[in-house]
Amino acid sequence: MGKVRSFGIEDGERIGPYRVLENVGRGWEGEVYKVVEVPTDAVRALKLFRTDELDSIRHLIHTAWYYEQLRWTQHVPIYHHYGQWFLDDDNGCWFLVFEFIDGVPLSALKRPTAKDFLKLARAVATVHAAGFGVGDFSSLTNAFVRKSNGAIVFVDCDPGEPDAPNADFREDCLVELPDAADAMFGEALPKKVARLLAGLKAHKRFNKTTLAEELSRIAV
């Protein structure tokens, strides 16, 4: 699946009560803008979706619900609200508004360390503890390091489907984390990273505590 068509919105244009500051990126489902709320001047991230490119409005609401459930973890952007807007050249669009994360993606780190990878793994484990999978972080472009406190924040996840939220702990442990390690280190895995991945590979069943338990084992 390729990226959606760009909305082509220029800096300074309005989307509902928001003024666009810049285009942040575009994915399979929608386009993300850094915006400022009018008249409060609060900076937000706005994800814009064409109505005819959404699977359903239920999927949009499910995505909002997923992020709200994970708010306490502090590893996803704070979800604020959703809304609808109309542009001149389409049949309507929907948007989700989130906290704007000021930081850099892990993919931008020039010399990633084992400490960086284990911080990523612990963030995934915290999301797992809430009963949800993360997904879509293996390229490291969706895992940001927050400037203010260094926390890992997943700015885009796989929320799953309505009535079937993502709880694929196995995928995160056996696919996403190994691929993230490969993106960080290639074949020269640091010792603790290799131990963690080997420990996970030995499991046949995965639940919401499996990753946390393996992280505890390599800490001793």
Side-chain angles (χ1 to χ4, degrees):
M1 184 186 295
K3 291 183 178 181
V4 298
R5 290 180 293 122
S6 174
F7 284 90
I9 295 174
E10 301 291 337
D11 296 354
E13 287 190 45
R14 288 281 292 270
I15 303 173
Y18 298 94
R19 178 168 52 83
V20 172
L21 297 179
E22 63 178 293
N23 184 312
V24 176
R26 181 161 45 100
W28 292 353
E29 300 170 332
E31 195 160 33
V32 183
Y33 294 88
K34 181 179 180 180
V35 298
V36 61
E37 188 177 50
V38 179
T40 67
D41 287 336
V43 176
R44 304 290 189 222
L46 184 147
K47 296 187 177 184
L48 193 61
F49 308 83
R50 285 186 178 84
T51 299
D52 57 6
E53 290 177 339
L54 277 173
D55 289 332
S56 71
I57 302 304
R58 285 192 71 221
H59 281 78
L60 184 85
I61 296 170
H62 169 75
T63 298
W65 173 85
Y66 169 91
Y67 280 92
E68 185 62 24
Q69 303 313 299
L70 294 176
R71 180 172 181 157
W72 67 269
T73 69
Q74 300 183 39
H75 291 303
V76 298
I78 295 171
Y79 162 73
H80 290 290
H81 66 92
Y82 72 93
Q84 188 176 23
W85 192 241
F86 290 91
L87 302 174
D88 292 338
D89 64 347
D90 67 9
N91 64 349
C93 55
W94 293 81
F95 58 83
L96 298 174
V97 178
F98 295 89
E99 163 195 21
F100 181 79
I101 301 301
D102 187 14
V104 295
L106 280 172
S107 60
L109 297 181
K110 292 183 179 179
R111 291 187 177 87
T113 65
K115 184 177 179 180
D116 295 319
F117 181 84
L118 295 177
K119 182 187 288 188
L120 170 68
R122 291 188 188 99
V124 175
T126 302
V127 174
H128 284 188
F132 296 93
V134 180
D136 293 345
F137 65 86
S138 61
S139 69
L140 307 178
T141 56
N142 292 332
F144 272 58
V145 183
R146 191 192 291 270
K147 276 187 180 180
S148 61
N149 60 7
I152 300 294
V153 180
F154 300 105
V155 298
D156 195 17
C157 304
D158 175 10
E161 304 288 333
D163 301 322
N166 179 12
D168 196 343
F169 311 119
R170 174 185 293 273
E171 179 79 8
D172 283 351
C173 291
L174 295 187
V175 178
E176 297 287 336
L177 279 173
D179 285 353
D182 183 63
M184 281 184 163
F185 311 110
E187 295 182 358
L189 295 180
K191 186 179 297 184
K192 283 193 173 183
V193 174
R195 283 180 58 196
L196 175 64
L197 296 181
L200 291 171
K201 192 174 182 180
H203 283 266
K204 293 184 178 179
R205 296 182 180 179
F206 291 81
N207 58 43
K208 66 181 185 178
T209 65
T210 304
L211 178 54
E213 290 165 359
E214 286 301 325
L215 283 165
S216 295
R217 287 193 181 94
I218 68 166
V220 297

